[in-house]
Amino acid sequence: MGKRGIVALAAVAVMVTGCSPGSAGEVDAENEAATTMTRTPRITDDSGRPPVTFDPCYDIPDDIMTAAGYDAAKKEVADMPMGSYTFLGCAYEGTISTPGVLARYDLLVMAGNVSLDEELEKNRDIAATASINGRPALLEVGPKNVETCRYVLETDFGIVILSRLYQKDHPGPVPQSEWCNGFEQTVSAIETFIQD
């Protein structure tokens, strides 16, 4: 997929449209807002599970990822069709790195049609229950994924995994207490783009 480990993140965009009251444009704007775009999933499986309706590489705006410190121009599709389930993924490299001072984080955002309960069962030894903007979630941190902080958010179709890898700028391990520094804010921002 990438040269380094992959991990996940997100951020927030606000779209503002203005019309003067009573104008003909107001009706069109209301009709437009009421119509949601539904994209045909790039990958489907034969499992009978719900189709994955959130596509990280297309549904997270590039400018949001860039503002969060990731190189959206170099994002890579990271899909995982498995037959019995599907994951649509997008990998990002971080842009902030000053040797000896600041590290860089790489992200992988994956949307899949497995349940939060299935994820908890698989990673029970490193998972703790959490909530992001009121959405049920898991926080996964542990020796299985060294220097990685992972949030798993529940959706109507399954889950979205946001996995961030700390690309250290020094030899030796990064203390586990630093793996998730500041990540919840990023996850909270990207959560707003997940439409159920």
Side-chain angles (χ1 to χ4, degrees):
M1 252 203 62
K3 306 147 203 86
R4 303 192 171 102
I6 24 189
V7 185
L9 135 35
V12 165
V14 178
M15 197 165 150
V16 179
T17 306
C19 284
S20 52
S23 69
E26 184 177 331
V27 175
D28 292 340
E30 286 173 12
N31 289 338
E32 239 176 80
T35 306
T36 58
M37 285 189 72
T38 303
R39 180 185 302 106
T40 301
R42 286 184 289 118
I43 298 174
T44 57
D45 57 55
D46 56 6
S47 68
R49 293 174 182 262
V52 179
T53 56
F54 174 72
D55 195 328
C57 272
Y58 297 100
D59 293 334
I60 303 170
D62 286 350
D63 60 337
I64 296 303
M65 296 304 291
T66 300
Y70 296 91
D71 191 348
K74 293 182 181 176
K75 67 184 175 185
E76 295 180 26
V77 171
D79 296 339
M80 298 176 196
M82 302 296 204
S84 59
Y85 55 87
T86 295
F87 277 93
L88 302 181
C90 197
Y92 297 88
E93 288 186 2
T95 58
I96 301 169
S97 179
T98 306
V101 180
L102 293 175
R104 191 186 85 211
Y105 300 103
D106 291 344
L107 280 100
L108 176 64
V109 182
M110 296 191 315
N113 56 359
V114 300
S115 71
L116 193 66
D117 287 340
E118 288 173 295
E119 177 68 16
L120 177 59
E121 185 60 35
K122 185 179 88 171
N123 289 316
R124 187 174 298 281
D125 56 327
I126 61 168
T129 58
S131 177
I132 300 295
N133 299 335
R135 184 186 294 268
L138 300 173
L139 171 60
E140 298 179 346
V141 180
K144 275 187 183 178
N145 302 301
V146 176
E147 295 166 356
T148 299
C149 183
R150 178 180 296 155
Y151 278 91
V152 183
L153 311 182
E154 186 174 48
T155 69
D156 283 352
F157 58 80
I159 59 175
V160 172
I161 299 173
L162 301 110
S163 183
R164 183 183 78 174
L165 176 66
Y166 191 123
Q167 295 287 1
K168 59 190 175 192
D169 61 343
H170 54 76
V174 175
Q176 186 170 322
S177 61
E178 295 179 18
W179 297 359
C180 293
N181 284 355
F183 191 38
E184 184 175 346
Q185 181 179 354
T186 301
V187 173
S188 295
I190 204 166
E191 187 277 336
T192 64
F193 293 102
I194 300 171
Q195 295 183 4
D196 292 315

